[in-house]
Amino acid sequence: MINIHLTYRLRARLLASGFFLAASLCSNAQSVVAPGGQALDKQWIKNGVFEMGCYANIGGQQMEISTFTIKINADDKALKVITALQVKGGDEVSIDTSISHGQTFHPIYRSSNSKARQMVVHYGKEVTGHYYDKQTKRRHAIKEAVANNFFDSYTYPYLLGSLPLTSGYRAELPVYDYKPGNAGNTKKALIEEVKSNIYTSSLTGEHKVWKVNVYEEATKDRYAYYIDKETRRLWKVEIETNGQQLLLVDREIDFNPFTTTFDKVATMKMITGGNSVILGVAFARDNQNEGMLKGMAILNINKKQHARAGTTVILIPHTDFFKEWIKLNDAARKKGRAIPLPDGAAGCIKVATVYDNEGHFEFTNLTEGEYLLYSEFGYVHTSSRTETVGYTDHYINGMFQGSTANTTTYNVSGNATAVAKKTVTIKNDGDKVEVKLKKTL
């Protein structure tokens, strides 16, 4: 069983480092990095929203267990990070807030509120606050002297990308991580190894990264951070904790390859606000021709093979935005990727089903404009093949004159898939347009 509660401690610490870039040019091996030091450069901290999916290895498969959404607000006064965790399939949202000094990154404030606990920590000349365990109903007062500089345990991962990472880089960071019953809560986070690696995104392709291996003395957990060499974006985190393996992956919610603006209101009006109808029939016309005659429909004598009842037909408003999406998606698929639609755009794609075994479908409530129809369906492909079964030798007056091939022709049948596309234009509102959505092979 996956220990979901461990993600409460991880949520704010694992995400925001995607907004930090390295700037320092030198550092000593096995150096100590502390608040106010020269190894960190605040100019690379970026405001914004970041999201990661959290996955657990269950039975050899990666299964999503939660989503982390984090908001970063940084200025000269403070670095503020607000993190929301939502467990998959649940309504509860756990919130963590971490505030550090905007220039030195000395911790100022920490709070955590989840189903399991409620905690408030104030940092100053001493650490004060309280920790309330909602399950045991026990309240713990926090009061601890401060001897040396340290980071809040939720802050230091945000800063990994701002270190002078290079192959072989090693460092230790003092961190404060409160736990009830601890004699002392300041421990080390050890950067044990940094080396080159590759991260492949399903959206943006291959990225050269630093793989930063970190061991936490306080938790005994191990982390592998995959940080972009060029931008210092955090793409992925691998976690080993209490015998469990977790994986956090950047969902790239800021990804936007489009140059055309999507107009949801106008596009929805195209597919719901009119009186026009498209009446269609979807079918494939098989072609037995081979060789030089292959694909010549004029010689095709086979019957139509209609799409079966229940076959899906989609209608895409052929606006400038969707034309760009189709072009980008076709190029991405050649590289094994796909371009997702922005929020709201997928809802503007209309779907119909073939309602009989003669391939008929309908789209209603359309306005004037251009539309793209698309469908995929199976059919039986039959081809004619010729095979040489022997040769006949020819003689005149006992002299060999040559040979001719003896051939036989036969048909071969097999399952195939037809991909049919057609652009349809409705000129006037109220028109009924009849179309043949066909594929001839």
Side-chain angles (χ1 to χ4, degrees):
M1 179 178 178
I2 296 301
N3 182 5
I4 296 298
H5 294 301
L6 65 88
T7 60
Y8 297 148
R9 185 181 58 77
L10 298 173
R11 58 186 172 275
R13 302 170 47 192
L14 300 174
L15 304 179
S17 42
F19 294 97
F20 292 79
L21 310 179
S24 299
L25 298 178
C26 61
S27 179
N28 296 325
Q30 296 180 328
S31 61
V32 176
V33 178
Q38 298 299 312
L40 305 171
D41 194 330
K42 67 182 180 63
Q43 68 172 313
W44 303 114
I45 301 176
K46 307 297 182 182
N47 294 327
V49 178
F50 195 59
E51 185 176 294
M52 276 188 161
C54 182
Y55 302 83
N57 191 320
I58 302 175
Q61 295 183 339
Q62 295 293 345
M63 299 185 64
E64 183 179 355
I65 59 173
S66 59
T67 296
F68 294 89
T69 304
I70 193 163
K71 182 178 181 180
I72 297 180
N73 186 10
D75 54 31
D76 289 341
K77 294 182 179 180
L79 165 63
K80 185 175 183 181
V81 181
I82 301 175
T83 304
L85 164 69
Q86 184 167 11
V87 177
K88 187 175 178 64
D91 297 328
E92 178 198 0
V93 177
S94 303
I95 303 294
D96 278 86
T97 300
S98 177
I99 301 176
S100 299
H101 193 280
Q103 298 186 48
T104 65
F105 305 116
H106 283 92
I108 298 174
Y109 173 83
R110 214 348 250 303
S111 68
S112 178
N113 190 17
S114 69
K115 185 177 181 179
R117 68 178 184 178
Q118 194 270 332
M119 182 177 71
V120 174
V121 178
H122 297 276
Y123 297 99
K125 293 182 179 180
E126 62 180 4
V127 182
T128 61
H130 70 271
Y131 181 104
Y132 178 66
D133 189 321
K134 295 182 180 180
Q135 295 177 333
T136 64
K137 309 298 183 183
R138 293 187 61 186
R139 181 184 177 92
H140 304 267
I142 301 174
K143 188 173 183 180
E144 188 172 343
V146 174
N148 299 299
N149 285 341
F150 52 74
F151 298 101
D152 179 83
S153 63
Y154 272 45
T155 300
Y156 89 84
Y158 310 165
L159 306 177
L160 293 178
S162 67
L163 293 170
L165 301 177
T166 187
S167 295
Y169 178 81
R170 300 174 68 189
E172 61 182 53
L173 291 80
V175 300
Y176 184 89
D177 187 11
Y178 177 80
K179 287 185 178 180
N182 278 0
N185 293 294
T186 303
K187 304 290 183 181
K188 296 177 183 178
L190 303 174
I191 300 177
E192 296 184 323
E193 183 181 44
V194 176
K195 59 183 180 181
S196 298
N197 211 300
I198 296 292
Y199 172 77
T200 303
S201 162
S202 61
L203 297 176
T204 54
E206 192 173 273
H207 300 271
K208 296 180 180 179
V209 298
W210 294 116
K211 182 181 179 183
V212 182
N213 293 322
V214 176
Y215 173 73
E216 291 186 351
E217 288 184 342
T219 63
K220 305 296 189 292
D221 295 338
R222 294 188 178 275
Y223 302 82
Y225 297 86
Y226 290 75
I227 301 174
D228 197 291
K229 286 187 175 182
E230 182 178 352
T231 66
R232 295 306 170 99
R233 180 169 184 153
L234 177 64
W235 293 110
K236 180 175 71 170
V237 185
E238 296 170 342
I239 308 162
E240 295 182 13
T241 176
N242 296 326
Q244 299 174 352
Q245 293 183 347
L246 299 179
L247 176 68
L248 283 91
V249 179
D250 180 10
R251 285 182 171 154
E252 301 181 65
I253 60 175
D254 59 335
F255 175 69
N256 181 17
F258 301 99
T259 60
T260 307
T261 302
F262 172 64
D263 188 335
K264 182 176 180 179
V265 174
T267 309
M268 283 297 294
K269 184 178 179 181
M270 285 183 66
I271 63 171
T272 61
N275 300 294
S276 298
V277 176
I278 292 178
L279 306 171
V281 56
F283 64 92
R285 189 182 287 278
D286 200 18
N287 197 328
Q288 291 186 358
N289 302 314
E290 300 289 345
M292 295 181 63
L293 300 180
K294 185 175 182 179
M296 295 181 63
I298 193 171
L299 300 176
N300 188 353
I301 61 174
N302 286 352
K303 294 182 179 180
K304 298 177 182 178
Q305 297 192 59
H306 294 102
R308 296 177 182 176
T311 298
T312 297
V313 182
I314 66 173
L315 178 144
I316 302 174
H318 216 208
T319 62
D320 290 340
F321 170 81
F322 277 104
K323 288 177 182 178
E324 183 181 13
W325 172 68
I326 292 169
K327 182 178 179 181
L328 290 171
N329 212 36
D330 287 345
R333 286 184 181 279
K334 294 178 181 179
K335 301 178 182 179
R337 303 197 301 271
I339 304 298
L341 285 168
D343 291 343
C348 292
I349 295 178
K350 210 163 188 177
V351 179
T353 56
V354 172
Y355 60 83
D356 60 18
N357 286 323
E358 295 182 351
H360 290 102
F361 61 90
E362 296 179 357
F363 287 98
T364 61
N365 301 327
L366 306 175
T367 63
E368 63 270 19
E370 187 176 272
Y371 300 88
L372 176 67
L373 297 176
Y374 178 91
S375 184
E376 293 185 20
F377 53 91
Y379 72 101
V380 178
H381 172 61
T382 303
S383 61
S384 297
R385 297 183 182 178
T386 300
E387 180 179 340
T388 300
V389 296
Y391 294 89
T392 299
D393 296 333
H394 301 280
Y395 295 86
I396 298 178
N397 297 326
M399 298 293 294
F400 178 71
Q401 302 297 310
S403 300
T404 57
N406 300 321
T407 62
T408 183
T409 301
Y410 58 93
N411 293 332
V412 177
S413 298
N415 295 327
T417 300
V419 178
K421 295 187 288 187
K422 187 177 184 65
T423 302
V424 180
T425 300
I426 297 176
K427 296 181 179 180
N428 302 295
D429 188 33
D431 287 352
K432 288 187 177 182
V433 181
E434 298 184 8
V435 300
K436 295 179 180 179
L437 185 58
K438 65 178 181 178
K439 180 66 175 180
T440 300
L441 302 180

